[in-house]
Amino acid sequence: MSIIKIKDKTFKTSLPEADIKKRIKEVAARINQDMEGKTPVFLSVLNGAFMFTADLLKEITIPCEVSFVKLASYEGVLSTGKVREVIGLNVDIQDRSVIIVEDIVDTGRTMRRMVETLQLHHPKEVHIATLFVKPDKIEEPMDIKYSCFEIPNEFIVGYGLDYDQLGRNLREIYTLVDEG
Ligand code: IMP
Ligand code: MG
């Protein structure tokens, strides 16, 4: 096990690279089977999903497309809280099978917003592929068809996920050490 420090916080390794790759391979095999003959569009959510997207797509053997979107956060004009808008959707998804590729589903707000936005473009179907889910944090039940790992309500970094924009380059997953 290794310990690292990012800014003021301490993290310890919790998931080795080999385990991540192995699990991604299994999930990709299911997608290959389910999406056979459909030429799905993988919509990767930047920045967090970049590494997962690369490794997942290397295991996809059926014809497919990949594109990238971002979620812009800004304060709503009526200050009713944070509004997250999907930006950069430049592929026509009408009547297409879409698989959103996300790093982690926490409260589920981001994915709900994303699915709602995509539905406005009349896709044939929309599924979620995520590397992590925190089941204890999800606010409303959500259909997550392709989930690699369920984790407890802890903060993690690495493999694309950040703490204050740092740690995305780490090839393993690290969990925040509670120093309280
Ligand atoms: P949600 O909208 O609450 O589901 O939040 C999802 C987003 O929060 C993810 O796309 C991540 O960017 C971020 N996030 C949630 N949990 C973690 C974590 O443990 N580490 C790093 N980022 C996280
Ligand atoms: Mg994210």
Side-chain angles (χ1 to χ4, degrees):
M1 188 185 58
S2 70
I3 301 271
I4 56 162
K5 210 151 169 121
I6 303 177
K7 289 194 166 170
D8 54 323
K9 303 257 187 278
T10 307
F11 294 84
K12 64 170 195 304
T13 41
S14 53
L15 192 58
E17 184 182 19
D19 294 13
I20 302 171
K21 295 263 170 79
K22 181 166 169 267
R23 182 65 186 137
I24 290 174
K25 219 170 170 161
E26 290 169 2
V27 170
R30 276 182 46 219
I31 297 176
N32 285 328
Q33 216 167 41
D34 296 350
M35 294 290 143
E36 174 100 63
K38 290 185 171 176
T39 314
V41 182
F42 288 89
L43 262 193
S44 171
V45 185
L46 294 172
N47 296 325
F50 80 95
M51 210 175 275
F52 175 41
T53 304
D55 283 343
L56 180 72
L57 269 285
K58 282 185 270 184
E59 301 294 341
I60 297 297
T61 52
I62 55 169
C64 65
E65 293 179 29
V66 59
S67 195
F68 299 85
V69 292
K70 265 200 154 200
L71 286 145
S73 268
Y74 59 92
E75 298 298 324
V77 276
L78 299 172
S79 33
T80 45
K82 272 223 170 102
V83 182
R84 301 196 85 195
E85 189 197 350
V86 181
I87 57 170
L89 180 67
N90 58 9
V91 54
D92 184 5
I93 59 166
Q94 185 167 348
D95 296 323
R96 301 292 303 272
S97 297
V98 178
I99 300 178
I100 302 168
V101 185
E102 173 66 312
D103 52 358
I104 185 165
V105 179
D106 193 51
T107 63
R109 282 182 216 159
T110 305
M111 277 305 95
R112 252 206 319 280
R113 176 84 186 153
M114 184 85 190
V115 170
E116 278 167 15
T117 303
L118 296 182
Q119 294 295 2
L120 302 174
H121 298 265
H122 309 291
K124 184 167 144 205
E125 56 186 333
V126 177
H127 301 293
I128 297 170
T130 187
L131 189 58
F132 296 103
V133 186
K134 294 181 187 172
D136 297 341
K137 285 283 293 284
I138 288 201
E139 290 171 344
E140 286 173 32
M142 181 178 290
D143 182 17
I144 302 175
K145 192 161 186 187
Y146 306 107
S147 156
C148 297
F149 299 97
E150 294 198 344
I151 60 165
N153 184 16
E154 293 170 333
F155 191 80
I156 58 171
V157 293
Y159 199 81
L161 292 100
D162 71 301
Y163 167 53
D164 215 0
Q165 298 305 326
L166 295 171
R168 295 192 194 275
N169 54 308
L170 299 167
R171 43 172 72 226
E172 312 198 303
I173 293 293
Y174 292 77
T175 298
L176 179 66
V177 177
D178 185 4
E179 292 165 297

